[in-house]
Amino acid sequence: MDKLVIEGGKPLSGTIVIQGAKNAALPILAASMLVEGKVTIDHVPKLLDIDVMLNILRELGCRAEHENQTVQLDTSTLQSSHIPEALMRQMRSSIFLMGPLLARFGEVTIYQPGGCAIGERKIDLHLSGLQALGALVVEEGSRIVCYADELTGAEIHLDFPSVGATENIMMAAVLAKGLTTISNAAREPEIQDLQQFLNCMGAKIIGAGTDTITVEGVEKLAPCRYQVIPDRIVTGTVMVAAAATRGQVTLLNTCPAHLTSLIHVLRRTGVQIAVDGDIIKVGTATRPKSIDRIVTSPYPAFPTDLQSQLMVLLALADGVSIMKETIFEGRFKHVDELTRMGADIRVDLSSAIIRGVSRLYGATVEATDLRAGAALVIAGLAAQGKTVVEQVHHIDRGYDEIETMLGQLGARITRYSPIPNNIIVP
Ligand code: UD1
């Protein structure tokens, strides 16, 4: 497993271009299976999760190339709608293929993606949504088979605005007969991006970005070329890293409107932020102020995917902050690692009480999941001395060479890969 070694204590400084959004690209790649022909998706980051998705598509018979941030798919050779269990278990987002494959083949076989490091992550809302569209769902152990000779539009109310369930239902409904409405839909920007992509292929969807989405079924879609939106979580990660190291960073290719809650919170800590079109400038030279209470909630509230990163800044703030996590029950695993670096954080059920310290110290720590790993990298950049972050493959799921990205901002960060057993060092 790779490690990152970070020499901390240097303010980040400079300009970087933000990668395309993983959480937009994954459902868009899955949605491409709805159409027959050649689809081109631009601004797709080079990530482990994207590699896994492309491998699944190849396994199903689709041609897929990923070069220079562009993915070219030829779905005309797609022949299977059975996602192998081993691939399904590599990435939860394989669940996105359920809706499109069901709509195209009338049948899909998947396996329970299982729980993961950050929580239980059920798929009941995905399944009940597809059932409402007329699918028969048969569960045998971890295997789930869905059948539908024809999908029919329906009124679907989600008990919780799940991002993935909203997207899966939208994708299945595109080729269904008649009108589908999804109420209490998730409002994340990635759902708007999916709507735009599907409409670019000829779908008739309105309402993404609000809590009611309406899909008018169409007979057929046509292939298209599309560019995914900038990654708001990577943008937010770099903004917090700039603030935690008391640096000055300019971020290009951002969508500031998708980060309103983070910008608001960072300004409350005293960080200076200037927005100009798709450019964000972040800078501070002083110790951040604490924030009495922050609660993670579905968009447009503060995102769970930036909770761990922001906690590093608050761990260095002047005063006590409280962070409440409402989306995933297992999302405080970074706390023990931050404590080993000198942070003073106590977890009480779903809240973390963060007493700011004036300094963090380098240590050997372990990334337990994607965003927890990003938080440890930020902590390492801000800390005094050397930090070693282990289990970097978690970080590679969502950040395109994080060491290169941060290295462009002057960070002293190096990746070490183990020497394979079969290489003989002279
Ligand atoms: C997506 C994002 C992830 C982000 C999350 C919340 C992608 C690829 N991933 O994940 O980065 O952290 O949104 O913003 O876009 N739930 C159910 N039943 C279901 C589905 C979800 O109970 O059928 C629950 C989950 O257990 C969780 C909550 O709903 O507690 C939120 O999950 P959801 O919005 O579905 O997140 P994902 O789509 O998995």
Side-chain angles (χ1 to χ4, degrees):
M1 295 294 175
D2 290 6
K3 292 175 187 183
L4 292 172
V5 177
I6 305 165
E7 287 291 339
K10 186 166 184 274
L12 293 186
S13 145
T15 301
I16 53 158
V17 181
I18 295 298
Q19 68 185 51
K22 164 179 91 75
N23 288 354
L26 288 169
I28 284 174
L29 290 172
S32 304
M33 299 307 109
L34 284 163
V35 74
E36 209 174 315
K38 292 183 178 163
V39 176
T40 303
I41 315 290
D42 294 309
H43 223 174
V44 180
K46 279 271 185 200
L47 304 171
L48 220 50
D49 274 9
I50 299 287
D51 287 347
V52 174
M53 177 61 92
L54 294 180
N55 281 338
I56 295 175
L57 299 184
R58 290 184 190 112
E59 182 74 24
L60 301 178
C62 172
R63 292 205 186 97
E65 300 289 336
H66 190 183
E67 255 179 66
N68 302 326
Q69 314 289 314
T70 292
V71 169
Q72 288 188 309
L73 301 171
D74 184 351
T75 70
S76 50
T77 48
L78 190 71
Q79 59 210 3
S80 168
S81 61
H82 182 140
I83 304 175
E85 187 167 11
L87 288 173
M88 187 82 209
R89 290 205 174 275
Q90 281 183 24
M91 182 182 64
R92 187 187 153 81
S93 296
S94 42
I95 196 89
F96 289 137
L97 285 160
M98 206 169 34
L101 293 177
L102 179 66
R104 180 150 167 199
F105 289 100
E107 186 183 329
V108 60
T109 303
I110 62 153
Y111 294 83
Q112 279 285 355
C116 74
I118 60 173
E120 193 187 0
R121 303 190 85 172
K122 290 187 287 189
I123 58 165
D124 54 321
L125 299 172
H126 297 245
L127 297 180
S128 58
L130 296 181
Q131 277 170 323
L133 294 173
L136 172 69
V137 176
V138 181
E139 295 189 57
E140 292 161 349
S142 70
R143 195 162 85 124
I144 303 170
V145 190
C146 302
Y147 306 91
D149 286 342
E150 185 178 67
L151 292 169
T152 312
E155 282 183 18
I156 300 171
H157 178 82
L158 296 177
D159 289 340
F160 180 87
S162 154
V163 177
T166 303
E167 292 171 333
N168 236 331
I169 297 166
M170 275 168 78
M171 293 188 277
V174 158
L175 295 178
K177 208 168 166 200
L179 209 64
T180 298
T181 53
I182 311 169
S183 54
N184 199 27
R187 293 182 281 166
E188 270 67 2
E190 293 76 21
I191 295 170
Q192 295 180 48
D193 210 32
L194 178 63
Q195 167 177 294
Q196 260 193 286
F197 170 66
L198 289 167
N199 285 349
C200 165
M201 294 202 296
K204 291 188 177 162
I205 312 175
I206 54 168
T210 74
D211 64 3
T212 305
I213 297 175
T214 307
V215 185
E216 190 186 330
V218 295
E219 295 243 314
K220 215 172 176 312
L221 298 173
C224 76
R225 182 168 193 154
Y226 190 76
Q227 178 170 318
V228 301
I229 51 172
D231 195 308
R232 65 192 166 101
I233 306 301
V234 173
T235 310
T237 302
V238 178
M239 289 169 73
V240 175
T245 59
R246 300 186 197 165
Q248 294 282 343
V249 169
T250 301
L251 299 92
L252 310 181
N253 183 46
T254 72
C255 190
H258 296 167
L259 284 149
T260 308
S261 61
L262 177 72
I263 291 173
H264 180 68
V265 165
L266 286 179
R267 283 188 174 142
R268 280 174 64 200
T269 68
V271 174
Q272 311 275 313
I273 297 175
V275 171
D276 180 9
D278 69 352
I279 301 171
I280 301 179
K281 290 185 180 182
V282 187
T284 186
T286 53
R287 187 172 180 194
K289 288 181 274 200
S290 60
I291 297 196
D292 45 1
R293 189 175 151 85
I294 303 168
V295 181
T296 65
S297 286
Y299 188 84
F302 192 84
T304 175
D305 283 355
L306 286 172
Q307 177 257 106
S308 42
Q309 299 91 316
L310 183 69
M311 196 180 289
V312 178
L313 187 70
L314 298 178
L316 289 162
D318 187 6
V320 180
S321 309
I322 294 181
M323 173 81 82
K324 187 169 167 61
E325 169 64 53
T326 71
I327 308 292
F328 294 114
E329 66 276 14
R331 228 172 188 183
F332 282 142
K333 298 229 168 81
H334 49 284
V335 168
D336 283 349
E337 305 302 290
L338 291 176
T339 306
R340 285 148 53 70
M341 297 179 74
D344 182 354
I345 306 171
R346 189 164 59 80
V347 174
D348 185 8
L349 299 173
S350 60
S351 293
I353 298 124
I354 307 149
R355 288 186 168 71
V357 294
S358 56
R359 188 163 283 176
L360 293 175
Y361 298 91
T364 296
V365 289
E366 187 180 316
T368 48
D369 67 73
L370 166 56
R371 307 302 172 189
L376 296 176
V377 170
I378 297 173
L381 295 172
Q384 183 179 307
K386 185 167 97 175
T387 294
V388 179
V389 181
E390 296 182 330
Q391 306 290 336
V392 176
H393 62 283
H394 287 296
I395 302 174
D396 293 337
R397 287 187 39 226
Y399 296 84
D400 187 352
E401 290 186 20
I402 196 166
E403 69 280 14
T404 309
M405 175 175 81
L406 295 170
Q408 285 166 13
L409 300 175
R412 295 171 295 199
I413 174 167
T414 313
R415 178 184 292 254
Y416 289 93
S417 303
I419 300 169
N421 285 340
N422 55 354
I423 292 185
I424 298 159
V425 181

